[in-house]
Amino acid sequence: MSKLVAFAGIQGGYKVVSTAEGEFQKALETFDASSKIEFPNTGYYLPVIYSLTGMKVETLEDMKEPLEFARGLLPPHIKGKHHLPYLGPLLDAGMAAIFAYEIIEALRILREPDFYLPQEDPDIEAGKIWVGPADDVILRKRGVEFVDGSAPGFAAIVGSCPDPETAKMIVEDYQKKNLYIFCAANHNGTSVIEQLIEAGVQIGWNTRIVPFGPDISSAVFALGFANRAAMTFGGVQPGDYKKILRYNKDRVFAFVNAFGDIGTEWGVAAAGCVNWGFPTLADTDIPEILPTGICTYEHVVANVAHDEICQRSVEVRGLKVTVSEINIPCSFGPAFEGERVRGADLLCQMGGGKTQATELVKMAEMNEIEDGKVELIGPDVTDIEAGGTLPLGIFMQVAGREMQPDFEPILERQCHHLINYIQGVMHIGQRDIAWVRVSKGAMEKGFTLKDLGVVLHAKFHQDFGAILDKVQVTLYTNQEDVDKLTKKARAEYKFRDERVEKMTDEDVETFYSCTLCQSFAPNHVCSVSPERTGLCGAYNWMDCKASYEINPTGPNQPIEKGECIDPKLGQWKGVNEFVQKASRGAVTHYNFYSMVIDPMTTCGCCECIAAMLPSCNGVMTVSRDYTGETPCGMKFTTLAGVMGGGASSPGFVGHSKFNITQGKFIIGDGGLLRMVWMPKMLKEEIKERIDKRGKEMGCPDLYDMIADESVGITEEEILPFLQEKGHPALTMEPLVG
């Protein structure tokens, strides 16, 4: 590699570390040494430093140790005339700079706590476009997409393009490939993020275009996100730097795009990224590092044309991306799922309380439907004035030799995701409470309602080809037709719900596994039964059954229960044998119905985590969208960090929201009657089901007996409330012996 590259990079390392040291000294002059240092709402301290060294930076004074460590990493300056293997020293300088950048950003948050807007979407009207480091709620929510492959990797973009149109072209190309785009730094007074805003592109986590910050130092947030994924989902321990870096190279497929003039500070940041196996591709004429080594292929590639950089980046990183073209005029892909259609850009809407919008999938005989037939009966979006409304009925008829009526609701639920994948179209809800909003931009590209049918036909075949042979879609926009379809659909919904609700674990001899999260939590094996949905809330027993029918070698495998070892706690010989094999011997057994005795393992994707409250003789649960304190003394993020890497943790267990009111929920410990606290937002969300389950268990007033944060966030605060209400947990046998 070029001596010039090493010289510039190492010079940059010295400069960045010196800058961090200077800012640290200034901070000591302004703030007390005990001042709290943190990235908002994360249990990982300064995540790059913590993950690679194990150092917990909690106060300003704690920064001294990692700063000295970074200074110690800096290699001697390049002086000699003779050739040396420069890559090693350059990587050390890069890592030193990354540590320094993280400290610089932490000091910024200390000085200016409101500089970043810690939420998923920026507030552009208020001028708050930078969201800063992702909190742990976002990490866990978005981490699922890296687990299931819907997000194969991320592009870290620094600088700015020649013009907004070029920036939009490149970013949309990455979106079509389902990648996240993490943006930082500016060039010539602007950034890619500001160019995208000028071009009318929606930015934020929901569209996978993340505006981390305006300086090159904020690029460290992308590396922090990657390292937290390794610890959160992969169970890699803090300080095990070799596993952290190897994990990222092998599992988090990322790369850097550098747009604009690359100085020493950008150069050393690029060198730092190489430690993770993340290569850099630039649009300028910079010295290249082409031999393979740390990265899968080349390390630094220069002079890449803007219209080629997306494909070239994917090739250099060794990323396998599957993109299937859908014959509609708008761009299509999961990256557009979080896009909003707001009032100023609204062409028309259907449902959402304005009109009726209903979706129904029904199985048909092979000779009853015509594959690929998409018919619109009624007016189209082009036939009404801007801002208008239409009723909408989407009737999907499917046929196949392997199709079963049980699969209808699984297919029906795909409407939400697939319609949302259309750029400029927003879908909310399902069944008979759907809501579709179409943007003016979509119509300008040529969108019509028949495109909804085209998408559903194509994706049903792509995703469910093992069970489907024919798909026909009829769209209704006349009120009379929509009302007729809605009446038929509601009868179908009622039948399905009653059938699923009445299923029990005793009704079946086969459960299903879900090992989807093993790419991040290698020891975790989620077992799904009729009365225990998957921890993530996305898979129930019927979903797993359908998944197995569709993909017999996939992550959802049948588990023969076999001999029942413990009917109270929920343990079976066949399940134990499967779990031991699937976890490669790490887990020998667990119980379905207990959180006290050998509970099921938990991954980082769980919707909720339950914990014992010994003083109250009960349990609490907290959902990941609640960020406050809880009576067990830990926030959700801390709980997930403690037991979310695939471990069985007595006294704690991960579960879905729906599982709380299922018949077998911790029934071995007393069931739902043990529930003494949950966040108010979760409690209200499942109120009807709590009322129903409480009545079944002989406690019709259970909902009113469960405390929430308005009562207190410690056991001492909520115990008097429970005593006043006469909560049943207080008179049950001791939770622990």
Side-chain angles (χ1 to χ4, degrees):
M1 60 172 282
S2 167
K3 183 166 71 174
L4 178 62
V5 175
F7 175 80
I10 292 172
Q11 287 289 102
Y14 275 90
K15 180 179 179 181
V16 174
V17 171
S18 295
T19 299
E21 291 170 337
E23 293 197 12
F24 173 63
Q25 291 302 321
K26 288 181 182 178
L28 285 175
E29 295 170 4
T30 307
F31 300 93
D32 189 272
S34 62
S35 297
K36 190 175 182 180
I37 295 292
E38 64 176 353
F39 286 167
N41 194 31
T42 175
Y44 295 97
Y45 310 100
L46 302 189
V48 173
I49 292 170
Y50 177 56
S51 61
L52 295 179
T53 70
M55 298 178 192
K56 299 179 180 179
V57 178
E58 299 179 82
T59 67
L60 184 58
E61 188 174 22
D62 291 340
M63 282 186 169
K64 185 176 180 181
E65 184 180 5
L67 270 174
E68 291 175 349
F69 188 87
R71 172 64 65 176
L73 282 174
L74 292 173
H77 290 283
I78 302 295
K79 294 180 180 179
K81 297 181 180 179
H82 302 291
H83 173 78
L84 292 171
Y86 298 120
L87 184 57
L90 179 59
L91 294 179
D92 286 343
M95 187 62 79
I98 296 300
F99 284 7
Y101 279 141
E102 191 165 51
I103 288 170
I104 289 169
E105 285 296 334
L107 290 171
R108 187 210 297 268
I109 291 172
L110 175 65
R111 292 191 313 268
E112 305 174 71
D114 297 327
F115 184 84
Y116 292 118
L117 188 66
Q119 61 185 45
E120 291 199 43
D121 292 322
D123 187 345
I124 296 173
E125 292 183 2
K128 304 283 286 185
I129 66 173
W130 306 111
V131 299
D135 66 22
D136 287 349
V137 174
I138 293 174
L139 172 71
R140 295 180 188 284
K141 178 180 178 181
R142 301 294 166 179
V144 177
E145 296 168 1
F146 288 90
V147 172
D148 65 17
S150 62
F154 68 78
I157 295 180
V158 297
S160 64
C161 295
D163 51 68
E165 291 72 26
T166 301
K168 180 180 180 182
M169 174 195 71
I170 292 170
V171 166
E172 287 189 350
D173 206 356
Y174 283 133
Q175 284 182 302
K176 291 174 186 177
K177 291 177 169 56
N178 305 330
L179 296 164
Y180 272 82
I181 303 97
F182 293 160
C183 300
N186 64 85
H187 177 250
N188 288 338
T190 190
S191 65
V192 162
I193 286 297
E194 289 161 309
Q195 291 178 321
L196 293 173
I197 292 172
E198 184 179 342
V201 177
Q202 290 186 27
I203 60 173
W205 280 98
N206 284 314
T207 55
R208 302 192 180 189
I209 307 169
V210 185
F212 275 141
D215 303 314
I216 187 62
S217 55
S218 55
V220 77
F221 298 147
L223 298 176
F225 183 89
N227 281 18
R228 285 154 66 197
M231 292 186 290
T232 302
F233 302 108
V236 183
Q237 295 303 306
D240 194 343
Y241 66 90
K242 289 183 179 179
K243 284 188 178 179
I244 290 279
L245 297 176
R246 189 180 302 118
Y247 184 99
N248 277 284
K249 178 184 177 182
D250 295 340
R251 300 191 183 189
V252 180
F253 291 92
F255 50 85
V256 180
N257 283 171
F259 295 133
D261 299 328
I262 297 179
T264 58
E265 293 177 64
W266 283 27
V268 75
C273 291
V274 169
N275 285 286
W276 276 257
F278 300 168
T280 293
L281 294 91
D283 63 350
T284 54
D285 186 16
I286 62 171
E288 297 184 310
I289 307 177
L290 299 181
T292 59
I294 306 300
C295 295
T296 304
Y297 298 113
E298 296 90 342
H299 297 75
V300 178
V301 182
N303 280 326
V304 184
H306 293 124
D307 59 355
E308 298 175 1
I309 199 161
C310 179
Q311 186 58 39
R312 187 80 174 101
S313 297
V314 168
E315 292 171 2
V316 170
R317 182 60 182 94
L319 178 60
K320 304 300 181 185
V321 177
T322 301
V323 180
S324 302
E325 293 294 331
I326 306 294
N327 189 25
I328 60 172
C330 303
S331 297
F332 180 88
F336 302 106
E337 186 176 9
E339 185 182 33
R340 304 287 193 268
V341 177
R342 298 186 171 92
D345 191 36
L346 178 66
L347 173 70
C348 68
Q349 56 186 320
M350 293 140 278
K354 310 293 189 297
T355 63
Q356 179 60 46
T358 302
E359 300 162 347
L360 177 65
V361 168
K362 279 299 295 176
M363 181 176 170
E365 295 297 328
M366 294 286 283
N367 61 354
E368 291 178 339
I369 61 175
E370 177 185 338
D371 184 48
K373 182 179 180 181
V374 177
E375 187 177 11
L376 172 63
I377 300 175
D380 205 335
V381 293
T382 54
D383 300 323
I384 61 174
E385 295 182 1
T389 62
L390 283 172
L392 179 64
I394 305 178
F395 184 40
M396 297 151 280
Q397 295 170 278
V398 296
R401 292 174 179 82
E402 303 299 324
M403 180 64 193
Q404 301 175 27
D406 286 351
F407 301 161
E408 291 173 352
I410 287 88
L411 296 172
E412 198 171 275
R413 274 205 299 277
Q414 305 308 307
C415 287
H416 172 70
H417 302 288
L418 300 180
I419 292 175
N420 260 325
Y421 289 176
I422 305 172
Q423 186 180 26
V425 178
M426 185 175 81
H427 183 284
I428 297 173
Q430 58 181 335
R431 288 188 166 186
D432 60 339
I433 55 171
W435 186 12
V436 180
R437 290 166 67 93
V438 180
S439 70
K440 296 173 184 176
M443 192 190 73
E444 289 169 1
K445 289 186 176 183
F447 173 83
T448 69
L449 284 178
K450 290 187 71 172
D451 291 326
L452 301 180
V454 172
V455 164
L456 294 170
H457 168 262
K459 291 300 292 180
F460 275 15
H461 272 296
Q462 289 175 11
D463 298 344
F464 300 95
I467 59 172
L468 297 179
D469 296 309
K470 290 185 175 182
V471 178
Q472 177 175 307
V473 182
T474 307
L475 300 116
Y476 301 103
T477 56
N478 289 320
Q479 189 66 53
E480 181 181 352
D481 295 327
V482 173
D483 289 344
K484 186 176 179 181
L485 177 67
T486 301
K487 182 178 180 180
K488 177 179 180 179
R490 286 172 177 165
E492 291 290 337
Y493 304 153
K494 185 174 185 295
F495 173 78
R496 293 174 187 169
D497 289 342
E498 290 174 349
R499 177 170 52 87
V500 175
E501 283 287 324
K502 292 176 181 178
M503 288 185 69
T504 69
D505 288 356
E506 290 77 17
D507 292 337
V508 300
E509 294 302 320
T510 302
F511 294 163
Y512 286 90
S513 70
C514 184
T515 53
L516 201 61
C517 295
Q518 275 201 345
S519 58
F520 286 105
N523 298 336
H524 175 59
V525 183
C526 188
S527 297
V528 180
S529 71
E531 293 183 273
R532 199 185 200 288
T533 55
L535 311 186
C536 64
Y539 286 82
N540 62 32
W541 185 86
M542 294 189 68
D543 295 329
C544 292
K545 181 176 184 288
S547 174
Y548 176 69
E549 294 285 343
I550 294 164
N551 182 11
T553 61
N556 304 117
Q557 294 295 308
I559 306 174
E560 296 299 325
K561 291 193 302 185
E563 176 189 348
C564 183
I565 297 173
D566 192 323
K568 179 182 177 182
L569 299 179
Q571 187 177 152
W572 295 267
K573 183 178 179 182
V575 175
N576 288 347
E577 291 172 350
F578 182 93
V579 168
Q580 184 168 11
K581 182 178 179 180
S583 68
R584 293 170 288 280
V587 181
T588 59
H589 67 284
Y590 54 51
N591 295 313
F592 274 55
Y593 308 148
S594 177
M595 61 177 285
V596 178
I597 304 172
D598 298 335
M600 188 181 291
T601 57
T602 297
C603 68
C605 303
C606 58
E607 281 191 310
C608 305
I609 296 175
M612 288 196 305
L613 298 179
S615 297
C616 300
N617 200 38
V619 304
M620 56 148 277
T621 191
V622 56
S623 52
R624 66 182 177 189
D625 44 6
Y626 173 75
T627 60
E629 298 290 344
T630 74
C632 75
M634 291 180 277
K635 297 180 180 180
F636 180 90
T637 52
T638 307
L639 282 166
V642 169
M643 43 79 69
S648 177
S649 306
F652 305 88
V653 73
H655 59 89
S656 68
K657 293 179 180 179
F658 186 81
N659 183 225
I660 297 170
T661 52
Q662 289 186 287
K664 296 295 196 302
F665 176 69
I666 60 168
I667 197 67
D669 306 322
L672 188 60
L673 296 183
R674 288 282 190 185
M675 187 64 65
V676 298
W677 188 95
M678 66 173 66
K680 189 174 183 179
M681 60 197 301
L682 174 61
K683 184 179 166 184
E684 292 180 349
E685 182 179 341
I686 60 173
K687 180 182 187 302
E688 290 185 8
R689 294 184 58 82
I690 292 175
D691 287 340
K692 180 181 177 183
R693 181 61 181 150
K695 187 176 181 180
E696 292 171 352
M697 300 184 79
C699 187
D701 298 324
L702 181 61
Y703 176 86
D704 295 324
M705 296 178 177
I706 299 173
D708 55 42
E709 67 272 23
S710 67
V711 175
I713 54 172
T714 68
E715 288 193 73
E716 292 75 16
E717 289 174 342
I718 68 172
L719 184 56
F721 172 86
L722 302 175
Q723 293 169 334
E724 178 188 341
K725 295 289 186 180
H727 196 290
L730 300 179
T731 58
M732 298 172 73
E733 63 181 25
L735 191 58
V736 290

